[in-house]
Amino acid sequence: MARTRSDSPTLFDLPVRPDFQMEAALLREGLAPVAGLDEAGRGPLAGPVVAAAVILDANRLPDGLDDSKRLSAEARDRLFEAIIEMAVSVSVASVCAASIDRSDILRASLEAMRRAAAGLCVTPLFALADGRDVPPGLCCPARAVVKGDQRSQSIAAASIVAKVTRDRMMMRAGGVTPAYGFEAHMGYGTKRHRTAITQHGAVSRLHRMSFAPLRDLGITTAASSGKAVAQPLVRMSDGEAVDPQTA
């Protein structure tokens, strides 16, 4: 996939916390409203990739916006509620594990962001997308912003909404499939998760079968009902873990 030109900062360009400067410059150019786009869940072995689009009210910005990975769960939950209450428009979209397997995680992440932007009740005139790529097929012009969730408050807000939404989805999955502990690791490749896969198999439509180690070790799929099915499987080594920070 050809990469679009991104707004890549140097180390010393990063603010202590994201600000509204990029959005304010676009507003001065008459490009209002501006949407921030981000996703959560690129790295896990299980679950969807979830994206959010957020249009903030320049006169009513939630206090404490930051990259969702730098916030505690309690702070994310508080800011999630503030964003929902104060933003002009918020939209969330997801791409399931099966669709990720049929394409790849980058395409799935960009498609989730495209869907989230399309779902806004107010059509943006410009979008700021976290990462190095502009999602294809967006409803408006856009710019890719490297480390955008640490630079733009709109992208930071989208990162919080996407992260909280996905975490809640995985907590629900944990209630249906308690053997896997999704509510604790959110689908990332922790030792507990990999041990559960070894013992019970993968869960149909929830695990990403194209991801290593599931793909490389030929892990079989548990019942589509979501209940764990005991079966002999190839044992995974500790070196196959997926780093949550790569999400």
Side-chain angles (χ1 to χ4, degrees), residues 115-151:
R115 293 179 187 179
L120 289 165
C121 65
V122 178
T123 302
L125 291 188
F126 202 89
L128 299 170
D130 184 57
R132 296 184 179 276
D133 300 282
V134 171
L138 279 179
C139 56
C140 63
R143 178 192 308 162
V145 184
V146 175
K147 295 189 180 297
D149 45 12
Q150 298 178 33
R151 304 177 66 200

Side-chain angles (χ1 to χ4, degrees), residues 173-190:
V176 176
T177 55
Y180 294 85
F182 290 122
E183 70 284 356
H185 52 67
M186 308 305 170
Y188 285 99
T190 62

Side-chain angles (χ1 to χ4, degrees), residues 30-52:
L31 294 173
V34 176
L37 310 177
D38 202 359
E39 51 73 27
R42 287 183 63 165
L45 300 179
V49 59
V50 176

